[in-house]
């Protein structure tokens, strides 16, 4: 189990029973070095044998990719610089790696009000939503907490309704609905 321990600037790794395994980052030391974090908000472990760890490093405006052992592999985005271009972020809060052969990376680019779809190597594929505009793709509530696909994707009820190859259709549908797109069940 990987937990983004946001205000301690680290990711905690635990067993399924909640026993401590290790810490990624440096506790209480926000920093911008490789493998260090400033308010890590979201974490996702890539399905499959590689098991790379993707961390939405909120105040560093980037996504860090680590190997299973926690060593830095690459950075997506420009460390410490907000941006609105392709593979640039403004306070990312969520990250998810799509299961299946395509294995695209979805990043909730919070203050740009969009989701960026990337290849695992960081290559930009497309943007869902209109950069900088809250209308059209409302993936964040009034407190700028990531809602929408990043909660729904982790919820088995929603995941079962979205096939591995259909994640973009899922997000496009939310964008067309003009709100969070979620019914009472929490799924679009």
């Amino acid at each position: 189990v990987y937990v983004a321990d946001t205000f301690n600037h680290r990711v905690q790794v635990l067993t399924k029973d909640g026993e401590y395994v290790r810490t990624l980052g440096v506790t209480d030391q926000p920093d911008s070095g490789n493998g260090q974090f400033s308010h890590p908000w979201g974490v996702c472990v890539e399905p499959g044998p590689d098991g790379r760890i993707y961390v939405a490093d909120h105040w560093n405006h980037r996504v860090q990719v680590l190997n299973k052992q926690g060593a830095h592999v690459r950075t997506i985005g420009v460390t410490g610089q907000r941006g609105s271009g392709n593979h640039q972020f403004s306070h990312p809060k969520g990250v998810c790696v799509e299961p299946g052969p395509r294995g695209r990376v979805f990043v909730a680019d919070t203050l740009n009000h969009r989701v960026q779809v990337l290849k695992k190597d960081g290559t930009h594929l497309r943007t869902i939503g209109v950069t900088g505009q809250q209308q059209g793709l409302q993936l964040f509530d009034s407190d700028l907490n990531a809602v929408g696909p990043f909660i729904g994707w982790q919820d088995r009820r929603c995941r079962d309704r979205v096939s591995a190859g259909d994640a973009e259709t899922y997000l496009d549908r939310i964008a067309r609905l003009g709100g969070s797109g979620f019914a009472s069940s929490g799924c679009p």
Side-chain angles (χ1 to χ4, degrees), residues 22-52:
R22 70 179 185 266
T23 297
L24 307 176
V26 181
T27 303
D28 292 329
Q29 298 287 323
D31 206 340
S32 60
N34 292 339
Q36 296 176 311
F37 311 106
S38 183
H39 295 87
W41 210 271
V43 62
C44 181
V45 178
E46 176 183 359
D50 287 342
R52 290 195 171 149

Side-chain angles (χ1 to χ4, degrees), residues 15-156:
T15 67
K16 290 184 220 177
D17 297 324
E19 307 250 341
Y20 173 82
V21 175
R22 70 179 185 266
T23 297
L24 307 176
V26 181
T27 303
D28 292 329
Q29 298 287 323
D31 206 340
S32 60
N34 292 339
Q36 296 176 311
F37 311 106
S38 183
H39 295 87
W41 210 271
V43 62
C44 181
V45 178
E46 176 183 359
D50 287 342
R52 290 195 171 149
I53 305 158
Y54 290 73
V55 180
D57 194 359
H58 184 71
W59 279 101
N60 282 323
H61 310 289
R62 65 184 179 182
V63 171
Q64 288 199 65
V65 183
L66 312 172
N67 66 20
K68 283 193 271 191
Q69 294 73 34
H72 183 264
V73 174
R74 83 175 131 275
T75 296
I76 303 170
V78 181
T79 301
Q81 294 183 17
R82 292 172 66 170
S84 59
N86 294 341
H87 54 73
Q88 292 180 323
F89 306 105
S90 181
H91 299 89
K93 278 194 170 182
V95 61
C96 188
V97 180
E98 177 184 39
R102 286 199 273 184
R104 296 168 295 180
V105 178
F106 294 80
V107 180
D109 190 3
T110 307
L111 293 186
N112 282 322
H113 305 285
R114 64 185 182 179
V115 171
Q116 289 197 58
V117 183
L118 312 165
K119 290 183 180 180
K120 289 180 189 175
D121 68 3
T123 303
H124 183 266
L125 294 172
R126 74 179 284 225
T127 297
I128 300 173
V130 179
T131 300
Q133 295 184 16
Q134 292 183 351
Q135 298 302 318
L137 184 62
Q138 190 68 11
L139 295 177
F140 308 98
D141 64 18
S142 60
D143 294 323
L144 295 176
N145 293 310
V147 294
F150 300 97
I151 291 172
W153 193 263
Q154 301 302 324
D155 182 332
R156 186 179 55 79

Side-chain angles (χ1 to χ4, degrees), residues 1-21:
V1 177
Y2 292 78
V3 179
D5 189 359
T6 303
F7 297 104
N8 287 314
H9 312 288
R10 64 187 180 187
V11 172
Q12 296 278 55
V13 183
L14 310 171
T15 67
K16 290 184 220 177
D17 297 324
E19 307 250 341
Y20 173 82
V21 175

